Amino acid sequence: MEQLGKLSGPAARLDTILRHLSPRLGAAPALTSIPTSAQVSAVPQPGRFRYTLDNDVLTTEQRQFYEDNGYLLIKKLVSDEDIERFRKEFIRICKKEVNPLGAMIMKDESLRFLYGQSEKAINKVQDFQEDEELFRYCTLPELLKYVECFTGPNIMAMHTMLINKLPDSDKQTFLHPMHQDLHYFPFRPADLIVCAWTAMERADQNNGCLVVQPGTHKEPLKPHGYPEWEGKTNKLFHGLLDEDEKSPRVHLVMEKGDTVLFHPLLIHGSGINKTTGFRKSISCHFASSECYYIDVKNTTQEHLEKELADMFEKRYSMSSVELRDIWSFRARLVQGERINL
C-alpha cells in the first residue's frame, strides 16, 4: 500500500498537495489526455459477461444479476467492530480532535449555530484518503476481494465519503437527486470502476436509503446540472437534467454492515431522512489503475470541471488546476501497481 507521511501545518499541506500533483519518482510515464467524448463508457469485456471479470468469488447468479441490473448487494460484509471504529473516528473529526489532510468537512451552516462543530451539524466527510483510520475501509480484505471482481488486481481508491444524513423532513436540504457518478469522473473505462457503499446502520425509506434504477448502467452518460428545487440544492449535488420519472426504481433497504457494489453509470439517488436520528454510510469509488484520464472539454462534464477547479483553487490558493489534477490528489493506491491514475 502507498504510504503517506503524517504531516501537519500549512507547509506540510502545501508539500503534500505538490507531491500529489507532481510526477512521482519511479512512476510510469503519465498519459496525455485522450480527447475522448464523455459519452464513451467502456470497452466491452469478451465473453458472456461484460461488467465482471472471471474469478471464483462471484457466483454465476451474482454476475448475471450485476450484468442485468448494475448493482449487487452483499449482506453483512463489514463487521460491527469496524463500523464502530469508523463511527468513532467520524465523531473525532466532528470534534476537531483530528483534522485529516485534504478532507472536506461539509456542514449545515444553519444548524452550526445551534449545535456548533458536532455530529448534529456535519453531514459529510469527503476525501478522507489521508485519514488512516477511515481509509482502512478501503483496504478491508473482505471488501477488496469483491472489488477486484470489477477492477482487476491493480486497485485505486478514487473517491471516499462518510455520509451522515441529517434529519431533514422540512427543508429537504440533503435530498440527492437521481444522478450517475460517472458525471464526476474524468477517467475511463467506466466498466473498470465500481462504488462500494456500506450501511453503518439500517437504511430504509424512512431515513433516506439509496434508490436505484436497475439496468440504467447500460445507458450512456447523460447531461447533469442543478435541479430546479428552490432552496433545496446542495453544492455539487448535481442531478439528471432530463429524468425519466416513470423508470422503475428500487429502494435498497440495508442492514448495518450490508454493502452494495454498483456501476458508475447506474442512475441512483437518495431520499430525505424523515427520522430524528442520523443515517450514516461509508463509501469508496474504486478504479483499476489501468484506467486513463480523459479531456472533458466540450463535453457534458466541462461545467463540472470549472466548478471543482474554482473550489480547489480557492481552498488551496492555487491557480490553473485541472480536473485530472484534483483526481490525482484524491487517488490512493490500495492494491497492486499504480499505473495511470
Side-chain angles (χ1 to χ4, degrees):
M1 183 184 300
E2 178 188 36
Q3 298 297 319
L4 300 173
K6 295 182 180 179
L7 305 173
S8 60
R13 180 183 293 274
L14 180 60
D15 176 76
T16 299
I17 294 170
L18 291 176
R19 180 158 48 85
H20 273 281
L21 300 185
S22 300
R24 298 185 178 183
L25 293 175
L31 290 182
T32 56
S33 290
I34 300 175
T36 305
S37 166
Q39 298 295 325
V40 175
S41 63
V43 177
Q45 298 289 340
R48 173 180 173 183
F49 297 107
R50 165 178 172 174
Y51 299 103
T52 58
L53 304 175
D54 291 336
N55 56 64
D56 58 359
V57 176
L58 298 179
T59 66
T60 301
E61 291 75 19
Q62 287 174 318
R63 294 183 72 179
Q64 191 62 54
F65 187 90
Y66 190 89
E67 186 82 13
D68 296 338
N69 297 282
Y71 70 93
L72 181 65
L73 181 61
I74 308 296
K75 302 293 289 183
K76 203 61 180 174
L77 183 61
V78 179
S79 71
D80 290 353
E81 179 184 0
D82 279 323
I83 288 175
E84 187 57 29
R85 288 180 61 174
F86 302 145
R87 187 188 308 277
K88 287 180 177 178
E89 183 71 356
F90 173 71
I91 299 300
R92 292 182 67 209
I93 292 172
C94 290
K95 294 180 177 179
K96 294 188 175 180
E97 293 176 5
V98 289
N99 183 25
L101 186 65
M104 294 177 63
I105 315 300
M106 301 185 180
K107 314 175 188 73
D108 184 317
E109 294 299 331
S110 64
L111 295 176
R112 191 177 180 185
F113 291 108
L114 293 174
Y115 304 116
Q117 182 87 1
S118 77
E119 177 187 25
K120 295 181 179 179
I122 293 176
N123 71 297
K124 184 187 295 185
V125 176
Q126 183 166 289
D127 301 333
F128 59 65
Q129 70 275 0
E130 308 296 339
D131 184 286
E132 294 303 321
E133 180 60 30
L134 291 183
F135 191 73
R136 276 197 328 105
Y137 171 76
C138 306
T139 69
L140 293 174
E142 60 268 34
L143 178 61
L144 288 180
K145 80 171 186 178
Y146 283 101
V147 170
E148 190 172 342
C149 300
F150 306 92
T151 64
N154 300 311
I155 306 175
M156 299 292 297
M158 299 301 295
H159 183 226
T160 52
M161 290 190 300
L162 193 155
I163 298 172
N164 181 48
K165 189 180 278 283
L166 304 173
D168 194 27
S169 58
D170 295 325
K171 295 182 181 179
Q172 299 189 25
T173 306
F174 303 114
L175 178 71
H176 200 151
M178 302 300 283
H179 64 284
Q180 297 165 299
D181 286 338
L182 194 67
H183 166 68
Y184 295 97
F185 304 155
F187 43 91
R188 301 292 186 273
D191 289 354
L192 294 181
I193 305 168
V194 69
C195 179
W197 191 101
T198 298
M200 294 177 64
E201 52 235 322
R202 178 180 168 85
D204 54 35
Q205 288 180 257
N206 289 323
N207 62 7
C209 64
L210 287 179
V211 183
V212 300
Q213 295 184 4
T216 51
H217 64 301
K218 299 176 184 179
E219 300 178 9
L221 180 61
K222 301 175 184 294
H224 288 62
Y226 285 110
E228 296 180 358
W229 299 341
E230 186 175 353
K232 297 181 183 178
T233 51
N234 248 346
K235 192 73 172 174
L236 292 175
F237 274 36
H238 295 175
L240 296 174
L241 293 180
D242 186 17
E243 182 183 348
D244 182 2
E245 299 285 352
K246 297 180 180 179
S247 179
R249 301 184 182 196
V250 174
H251 290 80
L252 296 183
V253 176
M254 299 169 64
E255 302 297 337
K256 181 179 180 182
D258 291 355
T259 300
V260 62
L261 299 137
F262 61 90
H263 192 280
L265 281 169
L266 181 73
I267 296 175
H268 67 287
S270 66
I272 61 173
N273 181 1
K274 295 178 284 188
T275 73
T276 57
F278 305 93
R279 196 275 281 148
K280 290 182 178 64
S281 60
I282 188 168
S283 69
C284 178
H285 281 88
F286 296 94
S288 167
S289 71
E290 297 175 42
C291 289
Y292 51 83
Y293 288 107
I294 65 167
D295 187 349
V296 300
K297 290 179 175 58
N298 299 315
T299 74
T300 59
Q301 293 176 272
E302 185 173 23
H303 68 98
L304 172 71
E305 178 174 41
K306 184 179 186 308
E307 186 174 0
L308 276 174
D310 287 347
M311 290 175 60
F312 203 87
E313 289 164 9
K314 289 176 182 176
R315 187 177 185 194
Y316 296 111
S317 300
M318 302 178 74
S319 59
S320 301
V321 176
E322 296 184 355
L323 196 56
R324 64 179 295 167
D325 294 330
I326 296 171
W327 285 100
S328 293
F329 169 59
R330 287 171 161 170
R332 185 170 174 183
L333 183 70
V334 292
Q335 179 180 294
E337 179 185 359
R338 188 168 191 171
I339 300 173
N340 297 327
L341 296 180

